[in-house]
Amino acid sequence: MTDRTGRIKVVIGDRLGNGHNVAAGVTEAGGEAILIPGPGADMKIGDIMNREGADLGISFCGSGGAGAITAKVKYGYDVEFGLRTIEAGVTAIRAGKRIVGFGFLDQHDLGYRITREYLLLHGGDA
C-alpha cells in the first residue's frame, strides 16, 4: 500500500536499535523509511507495519527471525527469515514476501536494493 505520494513504506526494526544505513538506502531508492527506535525494535515490526499500513518490513536480529516470525504469527504477514545476504533478500521480495528477516546487516545497499526490487515488481515512484 503506497502512501498518497506514491512512495512505498518500509518499516525497519533492529534488535540493537540500529538500521540507519538501511533506512538511508530505502530513502535513496524512493521509499519512505520508518525506522523503529531503540533496542528490541525488531519485535515491534508487525505492530508498526500494521499501524502505518506499510508495504514492507526489514527485521534484524542475531538469528534473523524473531521479529519476522512474531509479525507472521500476530498479523499473518508473509515472511522469509534467517537471511544473510542482500541477494537472498531480493529473492524473497521477488517471491512475494512482505517481511524479510536478516542477521545483523545494516547496509545502505540492502535498503536500496530491497526497495528498488519492490518498486520494479509493484510499481510506484522510482
Side-chain angles (χ1 to χ4, degrees):
M1 154 186 332
T2 55
D3 68 14
R4 68 177 181 266
T5 65
R7 295 188 329 160
I8 67 166
K9 291 183 181 183
V10 182
V11 175
I12 302 157
D14 185 289
R15 175 66 53 120
L16 300 177
N18 297 319
H20 301 285
N21 295 322
V22 170
V26 167
T27 301
E28 185 177 320
E32 177 186 347
I34 302 169
L35 183 60
I36 304 169
D42 64 312
M43 298 304 289
K44 301 172 189 170
I45 199 158
D47 295 334
I48 303 301
M49 282 184 67
N50 190 58
R51 184 183 78 204
E52 297 289 329
D55 302 284
L56 292 175
I58 303 174
S59 177
F60 299 101
C61 71
S63 68
I69 293 300
T70 300
K72 180 178 180 63
V73 169
K74 192 169 183 181
Y75 296 102
Y77 288 113
D78 201 3
V79 304
E80 187 76 29
F81 59 91
L83 305 174
R84 299 287 184 237
T85 67
I86 294 169
E87 287 305 319
V90 169
T91 299
I93 296 302
R94 287 181 186 148
K97 306 305 180 187
R98 298 254 336 259
I99 299 176
V100 286
F102 292 88
F104 296 114
L105 193 64
D106 183 16
Q107 297 178 2
H108 179 277
D109 197 38
L110 173 65
Y112 183 85
R113 295 211 28 226
I114 294 291
T115 303
R116 293 303 296 169
E117 190 63 33
Y118 185 89
L119 287 169
L120 286 171
L121 293 170
H122 300 283
D125 287 348

mmCIF file with all atom_site columns, all heavy atoms in Angstrom, residues 18 36 39 50 55 62 82 86 97 103 118 125:
data_model
loop_
_atom_site.group_PDB
_atom_site.id
_atom_site.type_symbol
_atom_site.label_atom_id
_atom_site.label_alt_id
_atom_site.label_comp_id
_atom_site.label_asym_id
_atom_site.label_entity_id
_atom_site.label_seq_id
_atom_site.pdbx_PDB_ins_code
_atom_site.Cartn_x
_atom_site.Cartn_y
_atom_site.Cartn_z
_atom_site.occupancy
_atom_site.B_iso_or_equiv
_atom_site.pdbx_formal_charge
_atom_site.auth_seq_id
_atom_site.auth_comp_id
_atom_site.auth_asym_id
_atom_site.auth_atom_id
_atom_site.pdbx_PDB_model_num
ATOM 1  N N   . ASN A 1 18  ? 19.796 -0.312  15.710 1.00 0.00 ? 18  ASN A N   1
ATOM 2  C CA  . ASN A 1 18  ? 20.464 0.271   14.550 1.00 0.00 ? 18  ASN A CA  1
ATOM 3  C C   . ASN A 1 18  ? 19.492 0.318   13.375 1.00 0.00 ? 18  ASN A C   1
ATOM 4  O O   . ASN A 1 18  ? 18.302 0.297   13.568 1.00 0.00 ? 18  ASN A O   1
ATOM 5  C CB  . ASN A 1 18  ? 21.708 -0.548  14.211 1.00 0.00 ? 18  ASN A CB  1
ATOM 6  C CG  . ASN A 1 18  ? 22.728 -0.509  15.327 1.00 0.00 ? 18  ASN A CG  1
ATOM 7  O OD1 . ASN A 1 18  ? 22.960 0.521   15.925 1.00 0.00 ? 18  ASN A OD1 1
ATOM 8  N ND2 . ASN A 1 18  ? 23.327 -1.653  15.613 1.00 0.00 ? 18  ASN A ND2 1
ATOM 9  N N   . ILE A 1 36  ? 12.194 2.031   13.450 1.00 0.00 ? 36  ILE A N   1
ATOM 10 C CA  . ILE A 1 36  ? 11.725 1.859   14.823 1.00 0.00 ? 36  ILE A CA  1
ATOM 11 C C   . ILE A 1 36  ? 12.914 2.111   15.753 1.00 0.00 ? 36  ILE A C   1
ATOM 12 O O   . ILE A 1 36  ? 13.938 1.449   15.620 1.00 0.00 ? 36  ILE A O   1
ATOM 13 C CB  . ILE A 1 36  ? 11.165 0.447   15.051 1.00 0.00 ? 36  ILE A CB  1
ATOM 14 C CG1 . ILE A 1 36  ? 10.063 0.129   14.053 1.00 0.00 ? 36  ILE A CG1 1
ATOM 15 C CG2 . ILE A 1 36  ? 10.654 0.299   16.483 1.00 0.00 ? 36  ILE A CG2 1
ATOM 16 C CD1 . ILE A 1 36  ? 9.652  -1.338  14.038 1.00 0.00 ? 36  ILE A CD1 1
ATOM 17 N N   . PRO A 1 39  ? 16.520 -0.522  21.273 1.00 0.00 ? 39  PRO A N   1
ATOM 18 C CA  . PRO A 1 39  ? 16.768 -1.971  21.319 1.00 0.00 ? 39  PRO A CA  1
ATOM 19 C C   . PRO A 1 39  ? 15.452 -2.751  21.321 1.00 0.00 ? 39  PRO A C   1
ATOM 20 O O   . PRO A 1 39  ? 14.445 -2.305  21.851 1.00 0.00 ? 39  PRO A O   1
ATOM 21 C CB  . PRO A 1 39  ? 17.510 -2.154  22.640 1.00 0.00 ? 39  PRO A CB  1
ATOM 22 C CG  . PRO A 1 39  ? 18.107 -0.827  22.935 1.00 0.00 ? 39  PRO A CG  1
ATOM 23 C CD  . PRO A 1 39  ? 17.137 0.191   22.381 1.00 0.00 ? 39  PRO A CD  1
ATOM 24 N N   . ASN A 1 50  ? 1.487  -2.748  10.638 1.00 0.00 ? 50  ASN A N   1
ATOM 25 C CA  . ASN A 1 50  ? 0.033  -2.750  10.682 1.00 0.00 ? 50  ASN A CA  1
ATOM 26 C C   . ASN A 1 50  ? -0.508 -1.338  10.933 1.00 0.00 ? 50  ASN A C   1
ATOM 27 O O   . ASN A 1 50  ? -1.424 -0.883  10.248 1.00 0.00 ? 50  ASN A O   1
ATOM 28 C CB  . ASN A 1 50  ? -0.439 -3.726  11.762 1.00 0.00 ? 50  ASN A CB  1
ATOM 29 C CG  . ASN A 1 50  ? -1.914 -3.963  11.706 1.00 0.00 ? 50  ASN A CG  1
ATOM 30 O OD1 . ASN A 1 50  ? -2.441 -4.395  10.685 1.00 0.00 ? 50  ASN A OD1 1
ATOM 31 N ND2 . ASN A 1 50  ? -2.598 -3.691  12.799 1.00 0.00 ? 50  ASN A ND2 1
ATOM 32 N N   . ASP A 1 55  ? 4.199  -1.289  3.362  1.00 0.00 ? 55  ASP A N   1
ATOM 33 C CA  . ASP A 1 55  ? 4.318  -2.280  2.298  1.00 0.00 ? 55  ASP A CA  1
ATOM 34 C C   . ASP A 1 55  ? 5.294  -3.390  2.648  1.00 0.00 ? 55  ASP A C   1
ATOM 35 O O   . ASP A 1 55  ? 5.064  -4.551  2.321  1.00 0.00 ? 55  ASP A O   1
ATOM 36 C CB  . ASP A 1 55  ? 4.814  -1.599  1.013  1.00 0.00 ? 55  ASP A CB  1
ATOM 37 C CG  . ASP A 1 55  ? 3.878  -0.499  0.583  1.00 0.00 ? 55  ASP A CG  1
ATOM 38 O OD1 . ASP A 1 55  ? 2.813  -0.824  0.042  1.00 0.00 ? 55  ASP A OD1 1
ATOM 39 O OD2 . ASP A 1 55  ? 4.205  0.681   0.809  1.00 0.00 ? 55  ASP A OD2 1
ATOM 40 N N   . GLY A 1 62  ? 20.072 -11.398 15.720 1.00 0.00 ? 62  GLY A N   1
ATOM 41 C CA  . GLY A 1 62  ? 21.131 -12.375 15.551 1.00 0.00 ? 62  GLY A CA  1
ATOM 42 C C   . GLY A 1 62  ? 20.726 -13.544 14.671 1.00 0.00 ? 62  GLY A C   1
ATOM 43 O O   . GLY A 1 62  ? 21.450 -13.954 13.773 1.00 0.00 ? 62  GLY A O   1
ATOM 44 N N   . GLY A 1 82  ? 16.035 -15.602 8.476  1.00 0.00 ? 82  GLY A N   1
ATOM 45 C CA  . GLY A 1 82  ? 17.309 -16.300 8.523  1.00 0.00 ? 82  GLY A CA  1
ATOM 46 C C   . GLY A 1 82  ? 18.208 -15.922 7.356  1.00 0.00 ? 82  GLY A C   1
ATOM 47 O O   . GLY A 1 82  ? 19.152 -16.637 7.037  1.00 0.00 ? 82  GLY A O   1
ATOM 48 N N   . ILE A 1 86  ? 22.202 -9.842  0.781  1.00 0.00 ? 86  ILE A N   1
ATOM 49 C CA  . ILE A 1 86  ? 21.278 -8.957  0.075  1.00 0.00 ? 86  ILE A CA  1
ATOM 50 C C   . ILE A 1 86  ? 20.563 -9.730  -1.025 1.00 0.00 ? 86  ILE A C   1
ATOM 51 O O   . ILE A 1 86  ? 19.346 -9.581  -1.217 1.00 0.00 ? 86  ILE A O   1
ATOM 52 C CB  . ILE A 1 86  ? 22.033 -7.740  -0.489 1.00 0.00 ? 86  ILE A CB  1
ATOM 53 C CG1 . ILE A 1 86  ? 22.563 -6.881  0.669  1.00 0.00 ? 86  ILE A CG1 1
ATOM 54 C CG2 . ILE A 1 86  ? 21.140 -6.920  -1.413 1.00 0.00 ? 86  ILE A CG2 1
ATOM 55 C CD1 . ILE A 1 86  ? 23.547 -5.805  0.265  1.00 0.00 ? 86  ILE A CD1 1
ATOM 56 N N   . LYS A 1 97  ? 7.371  -11.988 -0.519 1.00 0.00 ? 97  LYS A N   1
ATOM 57 C CA  . LYS A 1 97  ? 7.448  -11.824 0.939  1.00 0.00 ? 97  LYS A CA  1
ATOM 58 C C   . LYS A 1 97  ? 7.291  -10.356 1.305  1.00 0.00 ? 97  LYS A C   1
ATOM 59 O O   . LYS A 1 97  ? 7.779  -9.464  0.624  1.00 0.00 ? 97  LYS A O   1
ATOM 60 C CB  . LYS A 1 97  ? 8.772  -12.361 1.478  1.00 0.00 ? 97  LYS A CB  1
ATOM 61 C CG  . LYS A 1 97  ? 9.069  -13.796 1.087  1.00 0.00 ? 97  LYS A CG  1
ATOM 62 C CD  . LYS A 1 97  ? 7.967  -14.750 1.467  1.00 0.00 ? 97  LYS A CD  1
ATOM 63 C CE  . LYS A 1 97  ? 8.320  -16.173 1.044  1.00 0.00 ? 97  LYS A CE  1
ATOM 64 N NZ  . LYS A 1 97  ? 7.252  -17.102 1.242  1.00 0.00 ? 97  LYS A NZ  1
ATOM 65 N N   . GLY A 1 103 ? 20.159 -11.534 9.713  1.00 0.00 ? 103 GLY A N   1
ATOM 66 C CA  . GLY A 1 103 ? 21.114 -11.339 10.780 1.00 0.00 ? 103 GLY A CA  1
ATOM 67 C C   . GLY A 1 103 ? 21.522 -9.865  10.694 1.00 0.00 ? 103 GLY A C   1
ATOM 68 O O   . GLY A 1 103 ? 21.030 -9.129  9.845  1.00 0.00 ? 103 GLY A O   1
ATOM 69 N N   . TYR A 1 118 ? 11.148 -4.099  -4.956 1.00 0.00 ? 118 TYR A N   1
ATOM 70 C CA  . TYR A 1 118 ? 9.714  -3.983  -4.717 1.00 0.00 ? 118 TYR A CA  1
ATOM 71 C C   . TYR A 1 118 ? 9.085  -3.029  -5.731 1.00 0.00 ? 118 TYR A C   1
ATOM 72 O O   . TYR A 1 118 ? 8.033  -3.316  -6.297 1.00 0.00 ? 118 TYR A O   1
ATOM 73 C CB  . TYR A 1 118 ? 9.444  -3.510  -3.288 1.00 0.00 ? 118 TYR A CB  1
ATOM 74 C CG  . TYR A 1 118 ? 7.975  -3.489  -2.968 1.00 0.00 ? 118 TYR A CG  1
ATOM 75 C CD1 . TYR A 1 118 ? 7.347  -4.613  -2.444 1.00 0.00 ? 118 TYR A CD1 1
ATOM 76 C CD2 . TYR A 1 118 ? 7.206  -2.352  -3.209 1.00 0.00 ? 118 TYR A CD2 1
ATOM 77 C CE1 . TYR A 1 118 ? 5.988  -4.609  -2.171 1.00 0.00 ? 118 TYR A CE1 1
ATOM 78 C CE2 . TYR A 1 118 ? 5.854  -2.347  -2.939 1.00 0.00 ? 118 TYR A CE2 1
ATOM 79 C CZ  . TYR A 1 118 ? 5.246  -3.467  -2.420 1.00 0.00 ? 118 TYR A CZ  1
ATOM 80 O OH  . TYR A 1 118 ? 3.900  -3.463  -2.159 1.00 0.00 ? 118 TYR A OH  1
ATOM 81 N N   . ASP A 1 125 ? 6.739  5.273   -7.293 1.00 0.00 ? 125 ASP A N   1
ATOM 82 C CA  . ASP A 1 125 ? 7.756  6.245   -7.685 1.00 0.00 ? 125 ASP A CA  1
ATOM 83 C C   . ASP A 1 125 ? 9.106  5.576   -7.702 1.00 0.00 ? 125 ASP A C   1
ATOM 84 O O   . ASP A 1 125 ? 9.457  4.830   -6.813 1.00 0.00 ? 125 ASP A O   1
ATOM 85 C CB  . ASP A 1 125 ? 7.790  7.432   -6.709 1.00 0.00 ? 125 ASP A CB  1
ATOM 86 C CG  . ASP A 1 125 ? 6.574  8.329   -6.901 1.00 0.00 ? 125 ASP A CG  1
ATOM 87 O OD1 . ASP A 1 125 ? 5.869  8.167   -7.906 1.00 0.00 ? 125 ASP A OD1 1
ATOM 88 O OD2 . ASP A 1 125 ? 6.352  9.185   -6.036 1.00 0.00 ? 125 ASP A OD2 1
#
